[in-house]
Amino acid sequence: MPWLVMGALLGLALLSAVLTWAARGYALRQQLMDQPGERRSHSVATPRGGGIAIVISLLVTAGVAIWAWPEATPSLLVASLGLVLVAGIGWWDDHKPLPAMRRLLVHFIAAALLAGLVKVNGGSWLLAALVLVFTASLINIWNFMDGINGIAASQAVVAMLGLAPVLPWPYSLAAVALGLACLGFLPFNFPRARIFMGDVGSGALGYAVAAVLALASVRTDINWILLLVPISPFLVDAGFTLLARIISGQRWMEPHTQHVYQRAVQAGASHPQVTGMYFALGLFSITVFNVCSNLQPRWEAVVAIAWFIALSVLWLLLRNGMRHRQGTT
């Protein structure tokens, strides 16, 4: 049985790679291209929409899981429906840009499905409400942070590396499957991007990560604040950048290059260097998470808050340092 599971998981990574290759061919034929611009971090026209490969791979995995664990069928169908909704509106937006509020409405519907699953599976109303808001936010955070080669997929991989060990069998397979689906896509996106994830992939990836975190919230006793630590590099960069844009009166939903990872590229770092830096920070984050996941809940919360404060200070130092450097060159 373990060999069968391992073979199926490796097949999942291969499926994702083959589908990414096919998506690239489709994008080239349809002229589905991201053009360079002042609000983008790439310099050549690049096909987009490769994230559809991750979505299809996850849906195939859900189908296999339904066959293997029939009792999980209702939950898997609801979660898959949410994934299809987010990916579908992203696919549409990749082909024909849609108003932000229309996309956000679909995101909240998908998030409500996930929140409902949490409540049905033993979560409190408060936890369900947190999952609703958090899922809708994470869909957009992953979209905002998908701006340089490899960063969105690699952060999902490192987060799943942290979450898989704390989830009981067979729920841990959800984290493993998501990580492997991203690994199949990564060779086409890093270190050189032959295709971008597109809104179809970035939004759906944020939803999938939120789904695994929601699963951990009801299948483990880990404090929900500590559960956020594996994705803390994205939460801090996206959260503080969004806050800064709102305070300064900018239209926060518009594309921009004000995240720290984007400023680092503007300051002269390469895409692989910046993605590698975030990956290393992600490894530190999941180390903190795994080491502290068996503490008493209140101490888990204390550690998580301390970690977020430390990352926030690092974000401010990096942002101010790069702003000073750009101002003197």
Side-chain angles (χ1 to χ4, degrees), residues 7-318:
L9 291 173
L10 291 176
L12 169 64
L14 180 60
L15 172 64
S16 179
V18 171
L19 290 172
T20 304
W21 173 80
R24 184 174 186 275
Y26 169 84
L28 289 172
R29 289 192 299 273
Q30 297 295 319
Q31 289 297 297
L32 196 62
M33 309 289 284
D34 264 355
Q35 301 296 331
E38 62 178 14
R39 293 181 176 178
R40 300 185 183 274
S41 298
H42 61 283
S43 56
V44 296
T46 306
R48 68 174 179 266
I52 189 67
I54 297 174
V55 174
I56 295 175
S57 298
L58 291 177
L59 292 174
V60 169
T61 302
V64 173
I66 287 172
W67 170 79
W69 296 284
E71 65 277 11
T73 296
S75 294
L76 286 167
L77 287 176
V78 172
S80 296
L81 175 59
L83 182 67
V84 169
L85 286 173
V86 176
I89 200 69
W91 181 257
W92 190 348
D93 192 56
D94 282 333
H95 288 73
K96 184 179 179 181
L98 295 169
M101 291 307 298
R102 191 177 301 176
R103 301 196 308 270
L104 196 59
L105 175 61
V106 174
H107 296 166
F108 267 101
I109 292 173
L113 292 174
L114 202 55
L117 280 180
V118 167
K119 185 68 184 72
V120 168
N121 284 278
S124 65
W125 282 109
L126 175 59
L127 181 59
L130 288 172
V131 168
L132 171 66
V133 176
F134 175 74
T135 301
S137 300
L138 202 61
I139 291 168
N140 289 280
I141 285 172
W142 232 268
N143 182 272
F144 295 153
M145 297 298 290
D146 180 32
I148 61 173
N149 301 349
I151 193 169
S154 65
Q155 281 297 298
V157 169
V158 74
M160 295 307 106
L161 280 174
L163 289 166
V166 305
L167 283 165
W169 176 270
Y171 304 108
S172 56
L173 288 177
V176 174
L178 178 54
L180 287 174
C182 292
L183 280 177
F185 167 80
L186 264 173
F188 295 87
N189 187 243
F190 183 84
R192 182 176 68 88
R194 288 179 285 170
I195 189 168
F196 291 150
M197 190 174 289
D199 287 349
V200 62
S202 58
L205 189 50
Y207 180 85
V209 171
V212 175
L213 289 169
L215 179 63
S217 74
V218 295
R219 297 302 177 188
T220 73
D221 295 323
I222 299 172
N223 189 290
W224 68 270
I225 302 177
L226 188 65
L227 284 173
L228 302 182
V229 167
I231 59 170
S232 54
F234 268 22
L235 293 182
V236 169
D237 195 359
F240 276 101
T241 301
L242 174 61
L243 181 62
R245 286 175 60 79
I246 292 175
I247 291 174
S248 63
Q250 300 178 60
R251 300 182 66 178
W252 62 272
M253 287 293 289
E254 289 186 349
H256 61 87
T257 55
Q258 296 177 17
H259 292 288
V260 161
Y261 79 90
Q262 293 168 318
R263 290 178 181 270
V265 171
Q266 293 169 354
S270 67
H271 286 216
Q273 287 173 332
V274 177
T275 295
M277 179 185 72
Y278 272 73
F279 189 81
L281 190 56
L283 290 177
F284 276 110
S285 299
I286 65 171
T287 300
V288 170
F289 169 73
N290 286 105
V291 168
C292 299
S293 59
N294 289 318
L295 298 176
Q296 293 181 356
R298 65 176 180 272
W299 290 113
E300 290 177 350
V302 168
V303 169
I305 292 170
W307 178 251
F308 274 101
I309 290 173
L311 277 191
S312 300
V313 172
L314 177 61
W315 182 88
L316 288 169
L317 291 173
L318 289 173

